[in-house]
Amino acid sequence: MTGQPDDIRVLTPADLPALERMEVELFGPAAWSPESLAAEIVGPGRWYVGATVGGELVGYAGLWFDGFDAQVMTIGTDERFQGRGLGRRMLANLLDRAREVGAAVVLLEVRVDNDAAIHLYESAGFERLGMRRAYYQPGNIDAWTMRLDLRGREEPT
């Protein structure tokens, strides 16, 4: 198994068992509840995609568009497949969707101690705006707020 995704596809409620497993494994006590995940993947203005390897869902990412700005809601990759570019592929899919719906900017929050994610976002052109103290609960973990301006910015080739 190479670890490269077979597919990046839109998520459906049938994906909830795999989502719930990854959410708990990746985020522990801060994991979204099964009810929150179920509501989120079908919610208005939401766009959730997943990466599959060998037919298995091994990553997920979500975007919310409010009519002007888009917000990266989450990106998670099964620990067995981290470091293989799946997060980057899913982020690119979210950014493509943000452009399609006409978002002016894309915003996100990321844990200040998540160096891999910060590197991913900065390499995609996101800039740090500021810090949100004790944003992630439980644990009182600070978050960087980051922004990517899509106005006048072409999709990278």
Side-chain angles (χ1 to χ4, degrees), residues 85-114:
L86 298 176
R88 183 171 305 281
R89 291 269 314 272
M90 290 185 292
L91 177 60
N93 190 283
L94 297 184
L95 296 178
D96 287 346
R97 178 65 175 183
R99 288 180 187 94
E100 287 172 14
V101 298
V105 300
V106 180
L107 302 164
L108 60 83
E109 288 83 24
V110 60
R111 286 174 58 126
V112 296
D113 60 355
N114 191 340

PDB file of all heavy atoms in Angstrom, residues 85-114:
ATOM      1  N   GLY A  85       1.029  13.173   2.528  1.00  0.00           N
ATOM      2  CA  GLY A  85       0.418  14.133   1.614  1.00  0.00           C
ATOM      3  C   GLY A  85      -1.095  14.088   1.537  1.00  0.00           C
ATOM      4  O   GLY A  85      -1.683  14.830   0.742  1.00  0.00           O
ATOM      5  N   LEU A  86      -1.739  13.256   2.352  1.00  0.00           N
ATOM      6  CA  LEU A  86      -3.196  13.174   2.295  1.00  0.00           C
ATOM      7  C   LEU A  86      -3.839  14.473   2.775  1.00  0.00           C
ATOM      8  O   LEU A  86      -4.812  14.953   2.176  1.00  0.00           O
ATOM      9  CB  LEU A  86      -3.713  11.996   3.118  1.00  0.00           C
ATOM     10  CG  LEU A  86      -3.269  10.609   2.674  1.00  0.00           C
ATOM     11  CD1 LEU A  86      -3.771   9.551   3.636  1.00  0.00           C
ATOM     12  CD2 LEU A  86      -3.739  10.317   1.270  1.00  0.00           C
ATOM     13  N   GLY A  87      -3.329  15.046   3.853  1.00  0.00           N
ATOM     14  CA  GLY A  87      -3.861  16.315   4.351  1.00  0.00           C
ATOM     15  C   GLY A  87      -3.735  17.409   3.312  1.00  0.00           C
ATOM     16  O   GLY A  87      -4.663  18.203   3.115  1.00  0.00           O
ATOM     17  N   ARG A  88      -2.615  17.447   2.630  1.00  0.00           N
ATOM     18  CA  ARG A  88      -2.397  18.453   1.576  1.00  0.00           C
ATOM     19  C   ARG A  88      -3.407  18.275   0.440  1.00  0.00           C
ATOM     20  O   ARG A  88      -3.970  19.237  -0.070  1.00  0.00           O
ATOM     21  CB  ARG A  88      -0.966  18.358   1.047  1.00  0.00           C
ATOM     22  CG  ARG A  88      -0.632  19.417   0.004  1.00  0.00           C
ATOM     23  CD  ARG A  88       0.849  19.424  -0.338  1.00  0.00           C
ATOM     24  NE  ARG A  88       1.698  19.587   0.823  1.00  0.00           N
ATOM     25  CZ  ARG A  88       1.946  20.749   1.434  1.00  0.00           C
ATOM     26  NH1 ARG A  88       1.409  21.849   0.975  1.00  0.00           N
ATOM     27  NH2 ARG A  88       2.734  20.811   2.488  1.00  0.00           N
ATOM     28  N   ARG A  89      -3.651  17.035   0.055  1.00  0.00           N
ATOM     29  CA  ARG A  89      -4.628  16.775  -1.022  1.00  0.00           C
ATOM     30  C   ARG A  89      -6.033  17.183  -0.602  1.00  0.00           C
ATOM     31  O   ARG A  89      -6.775  17.766  -1.386  1.00  0.00           O
ATOM     32  CB  ARG A  89      -4.626  15.291  -1.413  1.00  0.00           C
ATOM     33  CG  ARG A  89      -3.377  14.804  -2.111  1.00  0.00           C
ATOM     34  CD  ARG A  89      -3.424  14.895  -3.631  1.00  0.00           C
ATOM     35  NE  ARG A  89      -4.625  14.420  -4.265  1.00  0.00           N
ATOM     36  CZ  ARG A  89      -4.864  13.170  -4.653  1.00  0.00           C
ATOM     37  NH1 ARG A  89      -3.958  12.233  -4.461  1.00  0.00           N
ATOM     38  NH2 ARG A  89      -5.990  12.857  -5.247  1.00  0.00           N
ATOM     39  N   MET A  90      -6.390  16.871   0.642  1.00  0.00           N
ATOM     40  CA  MET A  90      -7.725  17.254   1.110  1.00  0.00           C
ATOM     41  C   MET A  90      -7.846  18.765   1.242  1.00  0.00           C
ATOM     42  O   MET A  90      -8.881  19.341   0.870  1.00  0.00           O
ATOM     43  CB  MET A  90      -8.056  16.538   2.424  1.00  0.00           C
ATOM     44  CG  MET A  90      -8.281  15.044   2.243  1.00  0.00           C
ATOM     45  SD  MET A  90      -8.804  14.186   3.755  1.00  0.00           S
ATOM     46  CE  MET A  90      -7.320  14.307   4.769  1.00  0.00           C
ATOM     47  N   LEU A  91      -6.796  19.428   1.744  1.00  0.00           N
ATOM     48  CA  LEU A  91      -6.819  20.891   1.840  1.00  0.00           C
ATOM     49  C   LEU A  91      -6.978  21.503   0.455  1.00  0.00           C
ATOM     50  O   LEU A  91      -7.759  22.446   0.269  1.00  0.00           O
ATOM     51  CB  LEU A  91      -5.555  21.411   2.520  1.00  0.00           C
ATOM     52  CG  LEU A  91      -5.432  22.940   2.603  1.00  0.00           C
ATOM     53  CD1 LEU A  91      -6.588  23.557   3.386  1.00  0.00           C
ATOM     54  CD2 LEU A  91      -4.080  23.319   3.199  1.00  0.00           C
ATOM     55  N   ALA A  92      -6.264  20.990  -0.532  1.00  0.00           N
ATOM     56  CA  ALA A  92      -6.393  21.500  -1.902  1.00  0.00           C
ATOM     57  C   ALA A  92      -7.826  21.356  -2.392  1.00  0.00           C
ATOM     58  O   ALA A  92      -8.362  22.258  -3.052  1.00  0.00           O
ATOM     59  CB  ALA A  92      -5.425  20.774  -2.837  1.00  0.00           C
ATOM     60  N   ASN A  93      -8.476  20.241  -2.040  1.00  0.00           N
ATOM     61  CA  ASN A  93      -9.868  20.038  -2.426  1.00  0.00           C
ATOM     62  C   ASN A  93     -10.764  21.079  -1.772  1.00  0.00           C
ATOM     63  O   ASN A  93     -11.657  21.644  -2.417  1.00  0.00           O
ATOM     64  CB  ASN A  93     -10.302  18.617  -2.047  1.00  0.00           C
ATOM     65  CG  ASN A  93     -11.640  18.253  -2.617  1.00  0.00           C
ATOM     66  OD1 ASN A  93     -12.658  18.684  -2.100  1.00  0.00           O
ATOM     67  ND2 ASN A  93     -11.622  17.459  -3.674  1.00  0.00           N
ATOM     68  N   LEU A  94     -10.531  21.366  -0.498  1.00  0.00           N
ATOM     69  CA  LEU A  94     -11.327  22.383   0.200  1.00  0.00           C
ATOM     70  C   LEU A  94     -11.115  23.759  -0.423  1.00  0.00           C
ATOM     71  O   LEU A  94     -12.071  24.526  -0.600  1.00  0.00           O
ATOM     72  CB  LEU A  94     -10.972  22.429   1.683  1.00  0.00           C
ATOM     73  CG  LEU A  94     -11.243  21.192   2.524  1.00  0.00           C
ATOM     74  CD1 LEU A  94     -10.905  21.462   3.985  1.00  0.00           C
ATOM     75  CD2 LEU A  94     -12.658  20.683   2.378  1.00  0.00           C
ATOM     76  N   LEU A  95      -9.871  24.082  -0.755  1.00  0.00           N
ATOM     77  CA  LEU A  95      -9.590  25.391  -1.352  1.00  0.00           C
ATOM     78  C   LEU A  95     -10.213  25.509  -2.738  1.00  0.00           C
ATOM     79  O   LEU A  95     -10.724  26.574  -3.104  1.00  0.00           O
ATOM     80  CB  LEU A  95      -8.087  25.649  -1.390  1.00  0.00           C
ATOM     81  CG  LEU A  95      -7.403  25.741  -0.023  1.00  0.00           C
ATOM     82  CD1 LEU A  95      -5.908  25.961  -0.194  1.00  0.00           C
ATOM     83  CD2 LEU A  95      -8.039  26.799   0.861  1.00  0.00           C
ATOM     84  N   ASP A  96     -10.199  24.411  -3.501  1.00  0.00           N
ATOM     85  CA  ASP A  96     -10.889  24.415  -4.802  1.00  0.00           C
ATOM     86  C   ASP A  96     -12.372  24.702  -4.605  1.00  0.00           C
ATOM     87  O   ASP A  96     -12.970  25.495  -5.337  1.00  0.00           O
ATOM     88  CB  ASP A  96     -10.723  23.067  -5.519  1.00  0.00           C
ATOM     89  CG  ASP A  96      -9.335  22.853  -6.074  1.00  0.00           C
ATOM     90  OD1 ASP A  96      -8.541  23.820  -6.154  1.00  0.00           O
ATOM     91  OD2 ASP A  96      -9.029  21.688  -6.432  1.00  0.00           O
ATOM     92  N   ARG A  97     -12.966  24.057  -3.612  1.00  0.00           N
ATOM     93  CA  ARG A  97     -14.390  24.268  -3.337  1.00  0.00           C
ATOM     94  C   ARG A  97     -14.646  25.719  -2.921  1.00  0.00           C
ATOM     95  O   ARG A  97     -15.632  26.330  -3.349  1.00  0.00           O
ATOM     96  CB  ARG A  97     -14.858  23.303  -2.247  1.00  0.00           C
ATOM     97  CG  ARG A  97     -16.299  23.463  -1.842  1.00  0.00           C
ATOM     98  CD  ARG A  97     -17.235  23.116  -2.962  1.00  0.00           C
ATOM     99  NE  ARG A  97     -18.613  23.182  -2.488  1.00  0.00           N
ATOM    100  CZ  ARG A  97     -19.650  22.880  -3.218  1.00  0.00           C
ATOM    101  NH1 ARG A  97     -19.499  22.461  -4.458  1.00  0.00           N
ATOM    102  NH2 ARG A  97     -20.855  22.981  -2.727  1.00  0.00           N
ATOM    103  N   ALA A  98     -13.774  26.283  -2.100  1.00  0.00           N
ATOM    104  CA  ALA A  98     -13.935  27.674  -1.670  1.00  0.00           C
ATOM    105  C   ALA A  98     -13.910  28.607  -2.877  1.00  0.00           C
ATOM    106  O   ALA A  98     -14.716  29.547  -2.966  1.00  0.00           O
ATOM    107  CB  ALA A  98     -12.838  28.046  -0.676  1.00  0.00           C
ATOM    108  N   ARG A  99     -13.029  28.336  -3.819  1.00  0.00           N
ATOM    109  CA  ARG A  99     -12.980  29.152  -5.041  1.00  0.00           C
ATOM    110  C   ARG A  99     -14.264  28.987  -5.856  1.00  0.00           C
ATOM    111  O   ARG A  99     -14.805  29.949  -6.374  1.00  0.00           O
ATOM    112  CB  ARG A  99     -11.771  28.771  -5.879  1.00  0.00           C
ATOM    113  CG  ARG A  99     -10.448  29.221  -5.305  1.00  0.00           C
ATOM    114  CD  ARG A  99      -9.266  28.812  -6.199  1.00  0.00           C
ATOM    115  NE  ARG A  99      -8.019  29.114  -5.557  1.00  0.00           N
ATOM    116  CZ  ARG A  99      -7.317  28.249  -4.815  1.00  0.00           C
ATOM    117  NH1 ARG A  99      -7.747  27.010  -4.637  1.00  0.00           N
ATOM    118  NH2 ARG A  99      -6.190  28.624  -4.264  1.00  0.00           N
ATOM    119  N   GLU A 100     -14.733  27.732  -5.976  1.00  0.00           N
ATOM    120  CA  GLU A 100     -15.954  27.446  -6.752  1.00  0.00           C
ATOM    121  C   GLU A 100     -17.158  28.204  -6.220  1.00  0.00           C
ATOM    122  O   GLU A 100     -17.980  28.679  -7.000  1.00  0.00           O
ATOM    123  CB  GLU A 100     -16.274  25.944  -6.716  1.00  0.00           C
ATOM    124  CG  GLU A 100     -15.364  25.089  -7.546  1.00  0.00           C
ATOM    125  CD  GLU A 100     -15.613  23.594  -7.298  1.00  0.00           C
ATOM    126  OE1 GLU A 100     -16.658  23.230  -6.698  1.00  0.00           O
ATOM    127  OE2 GLU A 100     -14.757  22.788  -7.689  1.00  0.00           O
ATOM    128  N   VAL A 101     -17.280  28.299  -4.900  1.00  0.00           N
ATOM    129  CA  VAL A 101     -18.449  28.959  -4.317  1.00  0.00           C
ATOM    130  C   VAL A 101     -18.257  30.464  -4.179  1.00  0.00           C
ATOM    131  O   VAL A 101     -19.166  31.165  -3.757  1.00  0.00           O
ATOM    132  CB  VAL A 101     -18.863  28.325  -2.958  1.00  0.00           C
ATOM    133  CG1 VAL A 101     -19.263  26.870  -3.152  1.00  0.00           C
ATOM    134  CG2 VAL A 101     -17.777  28.489  -1.912  1.00  0.00           C
ATOM    135  N   GLY A 102     -17.076  30.967  -4.541  1.00  0.00           N
ATOM    136  CA  GLY A 102     -16.833  32.406  -4.541  1.00  0.00           C
ATOM    137  C   GLY A 102     -16.389  32.987  -3.216  1.00  0.00           C
ATOM    138  O   GLY A 102     -16.579  34.187  -2.973  1.00  0.00           O
ATOM    139  N   ALA A 103     -15.771  32.186  -2.368  1.00  0.00           N
ATOM    140  CA  ALA A 103     -15.277  32.711  -1.091  1.00  0.00           C
ATOM    141  C   ALA A 103     -14.187  33.747  -1.330  1.00  0.00           C
ATOM    142  O   ALA A 103     -13.332  33.572  -2.202  1.00  0.00           O
ATOM    143  CB  ALA A 103     -14.739  31.574  -0.223  1.00  0.00           C
ATOM    144  N   ALA A 104     -14.214  34.798  -0.545  1.00  0.00           N
ATOM    145  CA  ALA A 104     -13.182  35.839  -0.627  1.00  0.00           C
ATOM    146  C   ALA A 104     -11.922  35.425   0.127  1.00  0.00           C
ATOM    147  O   ALA A 104     -10.808  35.672  -0.324  1.00  0.00           O
ATOM    148  CB  ALA A 104     -13.713  37.159  -0.068  1.00  0.00           C
ATOM    149  N   VAL A 105     -12.109  34.817   1.284  1.00  0.00           N
ATOM    150  CA  VAL A 105     -10.996  34.360   2.101  1.00  0.00           C
ATOM    151  C   VAL A 105     -11.357  33.015   2.716  1.00  0.00           C
ATOM    152  O   VAL A 105     -12.529  32.651   2.798  1.00  0.00           O
ATOM    153  CB  VAL A 105     -10.616  35.365   3.222  1.00  0.00           C
ATOM    154  CG1 VAL A 105     -10.205  36.711   2.661  1.00  0.00           C
ATOM    155  CG2 VAL A 105     -11.730  35.517   4.219  1.00  0.00           C
ATOM    156  N   VAL A 106     -10.326  32.319   3.161  1.00  0.00           N
ATOM    157  CA  VAL A 106     -10.496  31.081   3.910  1.00  0.00           C
ATOM    158  C   VAL A 106      -9.818  31.287   5.259  1.00  0.00           C
ATOM    159  O   VAL A 106      -8.678  31.750   5.321  1.00  0.00           O
ATOM    160  CB  VAL A 106      -9.882  29.872   3.174  1.00  0.00           C
ATOM    161  CG1 VAL A 106     -10.080  28.595   3.984  1.00  0.00           C
ATOM    162  CG2 VAL A 106     -10.476  29.723   1.782  1.00  0.00           C
ATOM    163  N   LEU A 107     -10.523  30.957   6.316  1.00  0.00           N
ATOM    164  CA  LEU A 107     -10.032  31.107   7.678  1.00  0.00           C
ATOM    165  C   LEU A 107      -9.922  29.736   8.340  1.00  0.00           C
ATOM    166  O   LEU A 107     -10.583  28.786   7.923  1.00  0.00           O
ATOM    167  CB  LEU A 107     -10.993  31.976   8.490  1.00  0.00           C
ATOM    168  CG  LEU A 107     -11.234  33.378   7.939  1.00  0.00           C
ATOM    169  CD1 LEU A 107     -12.464  33.999   8.577  1.00  0.00           C
ATOM    170  CD2 LEU A 107     -10.008  34.235   8.149  1.00  0.00           C
ATOM    171  N   LEU A 108      -9.104  29.658   9.380  1.00  0.00           N
ATOM    172  CA  LEU A 108      -9.019  28.431  10.171  1.00  0.00           C
ATOM    173  C   LEU A 108      -8.368  28.730  11.498  1.00  0.00           C
ATOM    174  O   LEU A 108      -7.759  29.785  11.686  1.00  0.00           O
ATOM    175  CB  LEU A 108      -8.248  27.334   9.426  1.00  0.00           C
ATOM    176  CG  LEU A 108      -6.792  27.591   9.028  1.00  0.00           C
ATOM    177  CD1 LEU A 108      -5.823  27.321  10.182  1.00  0.00           C
ATOM    178  CD2 LEU A 108      -6.412  26.713   7.853  1.00  0.00           C
ATOM    179  N   GLU A 109      -8.530  27.786  12.423  1.00  0.00           N
ATOM    180  CA  GLU A 109      -7.797  27.783  13.683  1.00  0.00           C
ATOM    181  C   GLU A 109      -6.996  26.491  13.727  1.00  0.00           C
ATOM    182  O   GLU A 109      -7.464  25.457  13.259  1.00  0.00           O
ATOM    183  CB  GLU A 109      -8.726  27.836  14.894  1.00  0.00           C
ATOM    184  CG  GLU A 109      -9.397  29.165  15.121  1.00  0.00           C
ATOM    185  CD  GLU A 109     -10.650  29.350  14.275  1.00  0.00           C
ATOM    186  OE1 GLU A 109     -11.264  28.346  13.870  1.00  0.00           O
ATOM    187  OE2 GLU A 109     -11.004  30.507  14.005  1.00  0.00           O
ATOM    188  N   VAL A 110      -5.798  26.587  14.311  1.00  0.00           N
ATOM    189  CA  VAL A 110      -4.941  25.416  14.436  1.00  0.00           C
ATOM    190  C   VAL A 110      -4.216  25.498  15.781  1.00  0.00           C
ATOM    191  O   VAL A 110      -3.815  26.583  16.217  1.00  0.00           O
ATOM    192  CB  VAL A 110      -3.927  25.321  13.260  1.00  0.00           C
ATOM    193  CG1 VAL A 110      -3.023  26.534  13.185  1.00  0.00           C
ATOM    194  CG2 VAL A 110      -3.119  24.036  13.317  1.00  0.00           C
ATOM    195  N   ARG A 111      -4.093  24.343  16.423  1.00  0.00           N
ATOM    196  CA  ARG A 111      -3.384  24.313  17.710  1.00  0.00           C
ATOM    197  C   ARG A 111      -1.974  24.863  17.533  1.00  0.00           C
ATOM    198  O   ARG A 111      -1.283  24.528  16.571  1.00  0.00           O
ATOM    199  CB  ARG A 111      -3.297  22.882  18.232  1.00  0.00           C
ATOM    200  CG  ARG A 111      -4.596  22.331  18.778  1.00  0.00           C
ATOM    201  CD  ARG A 111      -4.456  20.865  19.135  1.00  0.00           C
ATOM    202  NE  ARG A 111      -3.397  20.637  20.104  1.00  0.00           N
ATOM    203  CZ  ARG A 111      -3.558  20.001  21.261  1.00  0.00           C
ATOM    204  NH1 ARG A 111      -4.733  19.504  21.583  1.00  0.00           N
ATOM    205  NH2 ARG A 111      -2.547  19.830  22.093  1.00  0.00           N
ATOM    206  N   VAL A 112      -1.539  25.674  18.488  1.00  0.00           N
ATOM    207  CA  VAL A 112      -0.209  26.273  18.401  1.00  0.00           C
ATOM    208  C   VAL A 112       0.895  25.229  18.477  1.00  0.00           C
ATOM    209  O   VAL A 112       2.019  25.491  18.036  1.00  0.00           O
ATOM    210  CB  VAL A 112       0.011  27.358  19.485  1.00  0.00           C
ATOM    211  CG1 VAL A 112      -0.940  28.522  19.296  1.00  0.00           C
ATOM    212  CG2 VAL A 112      -0.091  26.781  20.886  1.00  0.00           C
ATOM    213  N   ASP A 113       0.588  24.033  18.994  1.00  0.00           N
ATOM    214  CA  ASP A 113       1.594  22.983  19.114  1.00  0.00           C
ATOM    215  C   ASP A 113       1.534  21.961  17.978  1.00  0.00           C
ATOM    216  O   ASP A 113       2.237  20.958  18.006  1.00  0.00           O
ATOM    217  CB  ASP A 113       1.479  22.285  20.466  1.00  0.00           C
ATOM    218  CG  ASP A 113       0.126  21.626  20.707  1.00  0.00           C
ATOM    219  OD1 ASP A 113      -0.796  21.776  19.860  1.00  0.00           O
ATOM    220  OD2 ASP A 113      -0.026  20.974  21.759  1.00  0.00           O
ATOM    221  N   ASN A 114       0.706  22.220  16.957  1.00  0.00           N
ATOM    222  CA  ASN A 114       0.572  21.287  15.835  1.00  0.00           C
ATOM    223  C   ASN A 114       1.471  21.769  14.686  1.00  0.00           C
ATOM    224  O   ASN A 114       1.006  22.342  13.707  1.00  0.00           O
ATOM    225  CB  ASN A 114      -0.890  21.187  15.398  1.00  0.00           C
ATOM    226  CG  ASN A 114      -1.116  20.052  14.423  1.00  0.00           C
ATOM    227  OD1 ASN A 114      -0.191  19.566  13.781  1.00  0.00           O
ATOM    228  ND2 ASN A 114      -2.363  19.639  14.295  1.00  0.00           N
TER     229      ASN A 114
END
